[in-house]
Amino acid sequence: MFLTISLSGDAANPATDLGYLLHKHPGKAQCFSTSYGTAHVFYPEADDARCTAALLLETDPAALVRRGKGKGRGGAPDAALAQYVNDRPYAASSLLAVALSGVFSSAMRGVCAARPERAAAPLPLRIEVPVLPARGGAALVRALFEPLGWRVAAEPVPLDTEFPQWGDSRYVRLVLASETLTLAEALRHLYVLLPVLDDAKHYWVSADEVDKLLRAGEGWLPGHPEQQLITSRYLSRRWSLTRQAREALELVRLAEADDSEVEAIDNAVGEETEAEEKPTPLAVRRREAIIGALRAAGAARVLDLGCGQGQLVQELLKDIRFTEIVGVDVSVRALTIAARRLKLDRMGERQASRVQLTQGSLAYTDKRLKGYDAAVLSEVIEHLDLPRLPALEYAVFGHARPRTVVVTTPNVEYNVRWETLPAGHVRHGDHRFEWTRAEFRSWATDVAERHGYDVEFAPVGPDDPEVGPPTQLALFTLRAQKEAKAA
Ligand code: SAH
């Protein structure tokens, strides 16, 4: 099993930097032992103009058999011989993907202390895999790699060059080239897509594979046109795992769609304003408005209730006046994504002491939520069934009772300005309701009245003279507190 990774360069940006990026010296041939054989890394060429690293995995067929998964694809029990004589030694597969992630683990994470700027930058890369099993053929290979920014050459390998009439094998010779990807992205594409194309795994696919897929797929898998096929094949069609992964990817996509759909509206709306200026996505404006309100209220210890994937928590962390930030969400999956976004595991001690992510449902009182300066409910209330809303109201305003509460929710009147939204539709599938400005005001005013808060309203996003802003914000302030502050 073999693949090569090449970088081109010049005197100013020598291609030999590839050695630093991969953490493998171009002058040395190195071996690494893996559970299934030996991985060799060496450089067939290394100069300023071009540097190529080769990864060769020599499998040990006996080890494969011992581990019981040495067979080729297919459900039928393998004949004894087929356990030893099969394509595994030469075809790029999950074995090669695992070796790749083992041998180049730092590069895959984009870590390079010696050349950090090159690790973060798009590079002129070329990758060659001489024998790639491709279930779905060259067309699928293109459908998987092209949307990611690769130019793809996938030539079918004939079954036997002596007998062209036998036709093609299921293997292709793959050459990928791109100038728009970082090395880490390139490696993560291969790590996921090699086994997907092979459509077989040499090991039992367990629940932690979902995590591996999400980690390796970060930034490119959500929104990939073949996401479903990739997920299902990567997880060996294990239905429950595939469903978990799809849910997580859907969350990411929704968050991103929120930004991009709104960008589309802003573009439409912004025509009369300066054409040059790139409109700020609504999600960003929302976070700015929320943080502005929290600062004005002098809040230091803040709850982000229904924090989702942690974008607001991330912004809050940048401002040291927020000394304690707690993200709460009912979805473990969302919290996992949030933890990854915040790089909680790699965070310094002082930063880490300011932030906490915790699972909980806002439909129940929770004494952990007592004693904070402020709580944010950003785009959360509309995710609860209306009959559950009084429970949330009590848990937050009646029980936790922070001095300040910021609530945002879509303004349904604005939906007519949303060109991509069919009439009468809510902004996304999980919204149980969307309110007009009058409905939101009436709810918020009643809540404030029932629990002793004052409430003010503010628009977020362009405030349309007819239909109002896309997002509406209510700022609640505990009454006693307000009087105490004024005194
Ligand atoms: N606040 C984030 C996410 C909004 S999406 C933002 O502004 O981008 C709504 C979030 O509310 C989801 O992450 C969902 O899991 C969470 N949520 C829905 N019902 C909940 C409940 N009963 N308790 C806690 N979180 C809930």
Side-chain angles (χ1 to χ4, degrees):
M1 270 183 252
F2 190 64
L3 69 77
T4 60
I5 303 169
S6 308
L7 177 64
S8 33
D10 51 35
N13 289 303
T16 46
D17 280 352
L18 186 62
Y20 291 106
L21 295 170
L22 291 173
H23 300 250
K24 302 285 173 285
H25 195 284
K28 284 195 283 193
Q30 299 181 51
C31 303
F32 305 86
S33 72
T34 76
S35 332
Y36 297 96
T38 310
H40 303 268
V41 178
F42 56 95
Y43 289 74
E45 54 185 346
D47 56 39
D48 285 359
R50 199 173 150 93
C51 180
T52 297
L55 172 67
L56 171 73
L57 180 63
E58 236 179 336
T59 52
D60 171 1
L64 278 171
V65 175
R66 260 197 319 275
R67 285 165 184 268
K69 279 273 189 165
K71 54 186 178 150
R73 198 174 33 78
D78 281 310
L81 184 61
Q83 293 192 21
Y84 292 92
V85 184
N86 54 47
D87 68 354
R88 300 295 87 178
Y90 59 85
S93 66
S94 59
L95 290 167
L96 188 59
V98 169
L100 193 74
S101 77
V103 172
F104 301 131
S105 64
S106 305
M108 222 168 111
R109 282 182 282 121
V111 175
C112 181
R115 296 284 185 278
E117 69 298 338
R118 300 213 78 194
L123 298 173
L125 293 169
R126 187 175 188 278
I127 287 172
E128 202 173 325
V129 187
V131 186
L132 172 71
R135 212 159 95 84
L140 181 63
V141 177
R142 278 191 294 274
L144 293 181
F145 284 101
E146 278 173 354
L148 299 170
W150 291 103
R151 292 188 300 285
V152 179
E155 280 165 47
V157 176
L159 263 182
D160 192 321
T161 42
E162 299 272 304
F163 301 96
Q165 67 274 26
W166 289 0
D168 292 331
S169 66
R170 69 181 183 99
Y171 304 96
V172 299
R173 174 174 171 270
L174 174 69
V175 181
L176 299 171
S178 170
E179 290 77 37
T180 58
L181 297 164
T182 66
L183 180 62
E185 286 169 326
L187 293 172
R188 291 191 287 116
H189 295 166
L190 292 173
Y191 175 73
V192 173
L193 296 179
L194 293 181
V196 163
L197 283 162
D198 185 34
D199 203 12
K201 284 229 166 148
H202 64 278
Y203 52 88
W204 171 245
V205 170
S206 60
D208 60 355
E209 288 294 284
V210 176
D211 227 47
K212 286 189 210 159
L213 175 64
L214 295 176
R215 219 175 309 138
E218 197 179 310
W220 65 270
L221 186 53
H224 190 295
E226 296 295 340
Q227 182 197 304
Q228 299 228 340
L229 174 138
I230 295 170
T231 314
S232 147
R233 281 196 183 186
Y234 187 89
L235 298 168
S236 299
R237 298 194 176 74
R238 286 196 54 202
W239 181 77
S240 66
L241 299 184
T242 308
R243 205 190 38 162
Q244 277 181 36
R246 285 202 187 134
E247 273 175 28
L249 291 165
E250 181 61 9
L251 278 171
V252 177
R253 198 194 59 75
L254 283 177
E256 283 167 2
D258 194 15
D259 285 8
S260 60
E261 279 169 21
V262 168
E263 236 171 90
I265 313 174
D266 278 0
N267 281 333
V269 172
E271 268 158 24
E272 318 98 78
T273 64
E274 278 126 290
E276 309 289 287
E277 223 175 289
K278 198 173 177 296
T280 314
L282 185 57
V284 174
R285 291 195 187 189
R286 204 155 42 219
R287 291 195 281 275
E288 286 169 357
I290 293 167
I291 292 175
L294 294 174
R295 284 182 188 142
R301 304 178 61 240
V302 179
L303 296 166
D304 183 8
L305 304 176
C307 63
Q309 297 165 32
Q311 290 95 332
L312 179 66
V313 174
Q314 190 172 35
E315 284 305 309
L316 290 168
L317 268 172
K318 293 181 187 160
D319 186 338
I320 50 158
R321 75 185 96 180
F322 300 115
T323 56
E324 198 179 332
I325 305 151
V326 181
V328 181
D329 205 286
V330 75
S331 155
V332 176
R333 200 106 41 224
L335 292 171
T336 309
I337 298 171
R340 203 168 294 145
R341 169 190 307 276
L342 299 170
K343 302 193 171 68
L344 272 191
D345 52 342
R346 277 175 268 157
M347 201 177 256
E349 220 170 284
R350 186 176 310 161
Q351 269 308 65
S353 70
R354 290 172 58 210
V355 59
Q356 195 189 325
L357 296 176
T358 180
Q359 201 227 350
S361 170
L362 302 168
Y364 302 94
T365 58
D366 185 338
K367 55 179 184 299
R368 294 176 304 170
L369 307 186
K370 274 179 171 280
Y372 285 84
D373 299 333
V376 177
L377 286 158
S378 164
E379 309 296 284
V380 172
I381 57 170
E382 66 276 9
H383 289 265
L384 271 83
D385 289 322
L386 267 175
R388 300 296 289 154
L389 203 52
L392 173 140
E393 175 193 329
Y394 179 71
V396 176
F397 295 90
H399 190 260
R401 281 185 88 67
R403 177 156 44 96
T404 303
V405 183
V406 183
V407 179
T408 75
T409 195
N411 164 22
V412 71
E413 296 166 81
Y414 193 88
N415 289 3
V416 297
R417 292 283 181 274
W418 216 322
E419 296 199 331
T420 54
L421 200 68
H425 277 62
V426 294
R427 294 185 199 175
H428 70 66
D430 195 43
H431 286 182
R432 307 304 161 89
F433 60 87
E434 283 177 356
W435 276 336
T436 62
R437 283 167 293 172
E439 283 168 322
F440 182 52
R441 272 166 192 268
S442 140
W443 173 80
T445 313
D446 288 349
V447 168
E449 204 44 53
R450 278 193 286 269
H451 300 283
Y453 282 78
D454 284 324
V455 62
E456 300 159 69
F457 298 91
V460 181
D463 196 355
D464 186 283
E466 268 173 65
V467 297
T471 297
Q472 34 189 353
L473 180 150
L475 173 64
F476 297 81
T477 311
L478 198 61
R479 242 173 240 155
Q481 205 65 40
K482 213 178 176 183
E483 281 150 20
K485 225 173 129 188

